[in-house]
Amino acid sequence: MDDELLELQRQFEFAQQAKSSIRLSDRNVVELVQKLQELHIIDFELLHTVTGKEYITPDQLRNEISAEVSKLGRVSLIDLADTTGVDLYHVEKQAQHVVLDDPGLMLIQGEIISQSYWDSVAEEVNDRLQECSQIALAELAAQLHVSSEMVASVLEPRLGTLVKGRLEGGQLYTPAYVARVTAMVRGAARGIAVPTNLSLLWSSLQQLLQEMDGASGVAVEGSFFQSLFNGLVKEGEILGSLRAGVHWTPNVFAIAQKESIDSFFSQNSFINYDVLHKLRIPQPIQFLQSRYPEGIPLVTTFVHPSMIEMLDAATEDALERDSWIDSLSILPMSFGSQDASKLLSLCPSIQQGLKSDKAIIFRESYVFSSGFIKDVYDRLEKEMETFSVSVPSSTVVSDDLRETKVGHDTSRSTESNETVSDSSSNKQATEKGSKKKKGRGAGSMITGPAESELDNQDNVPTKSKKNQRKGKNTSSGQASESKAAAKLVKIKEENLNVPSEDWVMNKITALVPDFEEQGPDDPQTILGPLAHYLRPKLINSWKERRKALFTENAERMRNLLDNLQKKLDESFLNMQLYEKALDLFEDDQSTSVIFHRHLLRTTATTIADMLLQNLDMHNKLKNGVEVAEPQISESISLNAGERTSIAKNFPGSLSSKALAVVEALEGKRVETFMTALRDIAEESGLLLRKLDKKLERTLLHSYQKDLVSQVSAETDPVPLLPKVVSLIYVQVHHKALQAPGRAIAVAVSRLKDKLDESAFKILTDYQTATVTLLTLISAASGDEEDCSSDRILSKRELLETQMPALKGLVLRNSQS
């Protein structure tokens, strides 16, 4: 047999060494292989190598990959492509088949890693761990060029076998180190006697470990301490309660805490929530309710029902005696007003008293009987009868009154006893007069601001009752009025000359000696709320008495306003008519100012004086001041000081609007006066009629007719000129011009394009002659020479000869 084998070997060697007479090139071989594949003689896949000179089957490639992985344990696919000489694509594809077929292999980030490789890594990690006591997974991952999660997933199943250690928080620890740290955590936790944040404890332990181990010490995460602590709690080696994972309360503290609370509550029948906060109890109300179900939680304190029984007995006694009591004086010092208010609401005597209106609570802790309140009110009401003559001016809002006295005769207060002066002499005179007319004197104290208030009460009888309810509800801590209503009441009270809260508090202190210890400036005093409660009632009573004083003047006031409205309608329409003529001169600023000022000093001044005088009379009538019946003659002209004095006496915003009218009279624009006039009319409830086209034509026709009659009847040559000019402006521009003497020349020059040459010459000649006459008259004042008189007389005679021509000029146009 061996001889045969040797013979075959020699023949094979001979065949290899023999030179073939026919040789195949590489291309022939490739074509031959392709032909065999086409004929399905080669029915399996063939892969080209990178060089293109060799073929390899997929099975052979997988075998070579498996062999390489078995030899190295961890192989990169790129290295396998170089080793096998096959393209990387085919290597990746066959590598996936290899990994799927062998569960002991894994393909990670372009590398094939076997379990044997991880076993060797685990052994190396274990050797290193025993040397260092701790290894970070991040460090291993960096060395192995894989993720920390991969390292953790590989090491976890090998813990306790190949790796002798504990994995916690991304760190590997040896059992000895874990036992050492566990002992430290156990000792530290057992040494805690008060509630502690475990994060602070872990920081202390970390610092301690670093000091013990020096620079080579192991950095321990807080989660490792927490994990060990949780295990000790589950095993019962440390006792206590853990809240929110980090707040630890040891059992020894909880026991001492409960014993302290039980002792204090049993001795005092109450305990403050601050005490429980100091004892580290975050939710004191829930804690106390669960421990003492019969207790009552207040705002700052938890009380026993016996506290209510004690307070109820004291309040019941005060109500029966028609007295008052401060519940805080009975309760412990630590109680607040809100606590007292809630306790009072639980007292049976208070509940019954509030239902039957026998008890009133002020400032949450003061309890007053209705009998005591009524007695104080009755005594204050008697004091109010002499309020207007006895109360100092500093305690009432009487600025308007004091200003009125500056501009009027001071003797009036002595004779009528209806107004009050700030000076001591007038005050004495008023006191004397009040003895004769006590009721009338009490009502005469109210000045301007009271007028609108009384009108409102006449129209709406329930207004004072609303104010009374508002005062009561505010002082008792119950429902309050809306913000808008409260603001309105505040403004009215500021404007009214009524007793202030300071006055009421001073009177209460004088009437009730028990309140003398409570100063009015003390923010905790009961005087303020009590005065706030009583003052609206006193004011309402006072107003009712005062309303009677104004009944007799009601008819006069209505007639006065009616007459004022009629006068104002006529004057305001004429003012609007004259205002329209000012538009003709707006292109010349200097001339426009002259016309505006003339209209302000004539028609506007007349309107303002008439309005101010009538409103002033109406103001006095509403305040009970005797006013003589006005004469039917024209209103008296006022100077600037008198207008300002009257305007300042008006109440509230009416005063400011009246001052605006007075200021507009001294201005340069009629529009400003018209705006101010509309404002004061609106504030006074007067209507201003607007000039429409139809009414304008009617008034203009009447104005023209009046001018024609004046021109026809005029015999003096000097006053004739402005009347003629005004009439020509009506005929030409349909405007009612009010021209001052120094603006006549400008007005005449503006008519040049509107009149024919002859008419304009007549007008200019007459105007020139008039100016010459007036110049002579002005120059001759004080000169008694006959020559000057003769010149003036001759010039006047000349004008008289020209008067018929001038009159004929405008009268012919009017007739046509």
Side-chain angles (χ1 to χ4, degrees):
M1 187 68 181
D2 294 336
D3 295 339
E4 292 179 358
L5 287 175
L6 293 173
E7 183 62 27
L8 288 173
Q9 288 178 352
R10 283 194 299 270
Q11 292 178 2
F12 185 67
E13 183 178 1
F14 177 77
Q16 286 179 334
Q17 293 178 354
K19 292 184 180 181
S20 174
S21 58
I22 300 174
R23 294 182 60 87
L24 296 176
S25 64
D26 293 343
R27 180 179 181 84
N28 297 136
V29 173
V30 171
E31 291 176 353
L32 180 61
V33 171
Q34 289 178 350
K35 188 65 175 178
L36 292 175
Q37 286 179 334
E38 291 176 1
L39 298 174
H40 298 289
I41 297 174
I42 299 177
D43 56 355
F44 46 84
E45 183 181 3
L46 291 177
L47 301 177
H48 286 282
T49 60
V50 177
T51 60
K53 296 182 178 182
E54 294 179 298
Y55 286 103
I56 185 172
T57 62
D59 292 340
Q60 178 61 28
L61 181 58
R62 285 198 291 270
N63 292 334
E64 291 183 7
I65 291 173
S66 299
E68 193 70 18
V69 171
S70 299
K71 181 174 66 174
L72 299 177
R74 178 178 179 178
V75 182
S76 171
L77 296 182
I78 296 176
D79 295 339
L80 285 175
D82 295 338
T83 303
T84 58
V86 180
D87 186 77
L88 180 61
Y89 170 78
H90 299 293
V91 173
E92 289 178 347
K93 185 176 180 180
Q94 298 306 319
Q96 292 176 356
H97 289 290
V98 171
V99 171
L100 290 176
D101 294 339
D102 189 349
L105 301 178
M106 60 179 67
L107 181 61
I108 302 171
Q109 299 177 356
E111 291 183 315
I112 300 177
I113 305 176
S114 64
Q115 291 298 330
S116 59
Y117 173 80
W118 290 122
D119 291 341
S120 62
V121 169
E123 292 176 356
E124 293 177 2
V125 169
N126 183 62
D127 294 339
R128 183 177 173 185
L129 177 63
Q130 302 309 318
E131 295 177 359
C132 303
S133 299
Q134 179 265 355
I135 300 177
L137 292 186
E139 182 182 351
L140 293 175
Q143 294 176 355
L144 298 174
H145 302 289
V146 294
S147 64
S148 299
E149 291 78 7
M150 173 58 64
V151 175
S153 64
V154 169
L155 293 181
E156 282 178 354
R158 293 171 173 80
L159 292 176
T161 55
L162 296 177
V163 180
K164 307 297 182 180
R166 174 171 177 168
L167 180 62
E168 191 73 43
Q171 301 282 339
L172 273 174
Y173 304 97
T174 60
Y177 188 81
V178 171
R180 176 188 176 191
V181 176
T182 301
M184 294 178 64
V185 172
R186 185 189 300 111
R190 288 180 177 177
I192 296 175
V194 296
T196 304
N197 190 315
L198 294 179
S199 299
L200 301 177
L201 180 62
W202 306 151
S203 299
S204 301
L205 291 179
Q206 287 174 344
Q207 186 177 359
L208 180 61
L209 283 173
Q210 291 177 359
E211 292 176 355
M212 294 172 58
D213 297 337
S216 60
V218 179
V220 181
E221 297 292 334
S223 59
F224 181 46
F225 291 119
Q226 189 69 44
S227 175
L228 297 177
F229 180 83
N230 293 339
L232 293 173
V233 172
K234 290 181 180 179
E235 295 171 1
E237 295 193 30
I238 50 178
L239 302 177
S241 59
L242 188 62
R243 182 173 56 87
V246 293
H247 298 287
W248 170 251
T249 302
N251 268 4
V252 61
F253 179 82
I255 295 172
Q257 189 182 63
K258 294 176 181 179
E259 290 177 352
S260 175
I261 294 173
D262 291 341
S263 175
F264 187 92
F265 190 72
S266 61
Q267 293 177 11
N268 301 283
S269 298
F270 77 93
I271 186 169
N272 290 337
Y273 300 143
D274 291 341
V275 175
L276 274 72
H277 284 301
K278 292 178 181 179
L279 293 174
R280 309 292 183 87
I281 296 178
Q283 297 178 331
I285 296 179
Q286 292 82 341
F287 176 85
L288 292 171
Q289 284 180 329
S290 62
R291 195 160 185 82
Y292 311 108
E294 75 283 359
I296 300 170
L298 303 180
V299 179
T300 63
T301 307
F302 192 84
V303 299
H304 191 269
S306 60
M307 191 72 69
I308 297 178
E309 297 174 1
M310 177 193 68
L311 183 60
D312 183 65
T315 55
E316 185 177 9
D317 178 67
L319 294 177
E320 289 178 354
R321 293 186 292 104
D322 284 339
S323 183
W324 65 282
I325 187 174
D326 180 10
S327 59
L328 288 177
S329 63
I330 301 174
L331 298 172
M333 293 292 293
S334 60
F335 278 59
S337 58
Q338 293 180 330
D339 298 321
S341 176
K342 191 167 184 179
L343 273 180
L344 288 173
S345 66
L346 299 174
C347 293
S349 62
I350 296 297
Q351 294 174 354
Q352 184 178 359
L354 293 176
K355 288 181 181 179
S356 59
D357 293 333
K358 292 182 179 180
I360 302 174
I361 299 177
F362 291 116
R363 206 182 281 278
E364 298 181 332
S365 62
Y366 290 89
V367 180
F368 284 79
S369 68
S370 56
F372 179 84
I373 295 293
K374 186 178 184 302
D375 178 65
V376 174
Y377 173 76
D378 293 341
R379 296 163 71 182
L380 285 174
E381 196 172 24
K382 292 181 180 179
E383 293 286 335
M384 285 290 294
E385 294 178 359
T386 59
F387 167 73
S388 63
V389 295
S390 63
V391 64
S393 60
S394 60
T395 61
V396 294
V397 185
S398 57
D399 293 337
D400 291 341
L401 178 64
R402 289 193 288 271
E403 292 175 1
T404 304
K405 299 309 141 193
V406 173
H408 292 77
D409 188 3
T410 57
S411 63
R412 182 181 300 174
S413 63
T414 307
E415 296 172 356
S416 63
N417 297 304
E418 293 178 354
T419 57
V420 180
S421 172
D422 284 336
S423 64
S424 59
S425 61
N426 287 339
K427 180 177 179 182
Q428 293 173 359
T430 308
E431 290 176 350
K432 293 178 181 179
S434 65
K435 296 179 180 179
K436 298 179 181 180
K437 299 180 180 180
K438 188 174 183 180
R440 190 178 184 87
S444 65
M445 187 68 177
I446 302 179
T447 59
E451 301 170 5
S452 58
E453 183 69 18
L454 291 169
D455 279 348
N456 292 338
Q457 293 207 3
D458 290 337
N459 298 331
V460 188
T462 60
K463 188 70 175 180
S464 61
K465 295 181 181 179
K466 287 185 178 180
N467 291 340
Q468 179 177 348
R469 288 198 300 270
K470 178 182 180 299
K472 178 177 179 180
N473 292 341
T474 303
S475 60
S476 61
Q478 299 174 1
S480 61
E481 296 289 337
S482 66
K483 292 183 179 179
K487 184 177 182 180
L488 179 61
V489 171
K490 182 178 180 181
I491 293 174
K492 289 181 178 179
E493 290 183 354
E494 287 177 352
N495 291 334
L496 279 173
N497 183 16
V498 296
S500 63
E501 285 192 9
D502 291 339
W503 183 88
V504 178
M505 286 191 289
N506 291 332
K507 288 297 180 182
I508 293 175
T509 305
L511 295 174
V512 185
D514 293 345
F515 292 147
E516 291 182 357
E517 298 180 357
Q518 301 197 22
D521 296 331
D522 184 4
Q524 300 300 324
T525 181
I526 187 56
L527 290 176
L530 185 58
H532 188 72
Y533 174 78
L534 292 174
R535 181 169 175 262
K537 294 185 176 183
L538 293 171
I539 292 175
N540 289 335
S541 174
W542 178 61
K543 288 177 182 177
E544 291 297 327
R545 295 197 306 270
R546 180 172 172 78
K547 284 173 64 177
L549 299 176
F550 299 95
T551 303
E552 61 187 43
N553 289 339
E555 186 65 27
R556 290 184 62 188
M557 290 160 54
R558 282 192 290 271
N559 293 335
L560 179 66
L561 288 179
D562 290 342
N563 294 332
L564 175 60
Q565 183 67 64
K566 293 177 183 178
K567 296 177 183 177
L568 193 60
D569 286 344
E570 180 180 355
S571 301
F572 187 68
L573 288 175
N574 289 334
M575 186 69 184
Q576 294 178 83
L577 186 66
Y578 301 151
E579 184 186 12
K580 288 181 175 293
L582 300 178
D583 297 338
L584 299 174
F585 302 92
E586 290 298 325
D587 56 342
D588 186 351
Q589 183 64 29
S590 59
T591 304
S592 176
V593 170
I594 295 174
F595 280 98
H596 275 267
R597 284 182 173 177
H598 175 71
L599 191 57
L600 286 172
R601 293 172 182 175
T602 54
T603 307
T605 299
T606 303
I607 294 175
D609 291 347
M610 178 262 297
L611 181 63
L612 291 174
Q613 290 179 47
N614 282 270
L615 288 180
D616 182 50
M617 185 178 297
H618 184 270
N619 185 33
K620 292 176 180 178
L621 288 174
K622 292 195 72 173
N623 285 279
V625 179
E626 288 188 6
V627 180
E629 288 290 340
Q631 300 296 325
I632 306 180
S633 60
E634 295 182 359
S635 60
I636 303 174
S637 297
L638 304 174
N639 57 39
E642 290 172 338
R643 296 187 194 103
T644 303
S645 177
I646 293 175
K648 288 183 177 180
N649 290 335
F650 291 143
S653 59
L654 182 61
S655 177
S656 61
K657 289 179 170 57
L659 288 172
V661 172
V662 175
E663 292 175 0
L665 291 177
E666 303 299 326
K668 298 180 180 180
R669 301 296 298 179
V670 173
E671 294 86 347
T672 305
F673 171 78
M674 299 294 278
T675 301
L677 185 62
R678 291 186 180 93
D679 291 342
I680 192 174
E682 181 181 359
E683 184 71 20
S684 305
L686 299 171
L687 299 177
L688 294 179
R689 190 174 179 183
K690 187 176 181 181
L691 183 66
D692 55 21
K693 294 294 185 181
K694 182 179 179 181
L695 192 57
E696 182 181 357
R697 288 194 298 270
T698 302
L699 291 177
L700 196 61
H701 177 72
S702 176
Y703 179 70
Q704 181 180 3
K705 186 177 180 181
D706 184 52
L707 282 177
V708 170
S709 63
Q710 291 182 29
V711 169
S712 299
E714 186 62 63
T715 58
D716 191 342
V718 175
L720 177 63
L721 179 61
K723 295 177 182 179
V724 169
V725 172
S726 297
L727 184 55
I728 293 176
Y729 267 82
V730 173
Q731 296 170 350
V732 173
H733 293 286
H734 303 290
K735 302 287 185 180
L737 179 66
Q738 294 287 308
R742 59 175 177 164
I744 289 294
V746 178
V748 169
S749 64
R750 293 293 183 99
L751 295 173
K752 183 176 182 179
D753 297 334
K754 302 296 182 180
L755 301 175
D756 55 44
E757 185 176 352
S758 60
F760 183 72
K761 185 177 186 308
I762 294 173
L763 182 61
T764 54
D765 291 345
Y766 192 90
Q767 187 261 337
T768 303
T770 302
V771 171
T772 304
L773 175 61
L774 293 175
T775 304
L776 291 174
I777 294 174
S778 176
S781 59
D783 189 358
E784 298 180 356
E785 294 184 3
D786 293 338
C787 61
S788 298
S789 300
D790 293 341
R791 293 175 62 188
I792 293 174
L793 183 59
S794 63
K795 186 61 68 175
R796 180 179 290 275
E797 291 175 353
L798 176 63
L799 281 176
E800 289 176 351
T801 59
Q802 295 178 354
M803 284 178 62
L806 185 64
K807 287 184 178 182
L809 175 66
V810 293
L811 293 179
R812 284 194 302 272
N813 292 336
S814 298
Q815 292 174 0
S816 61

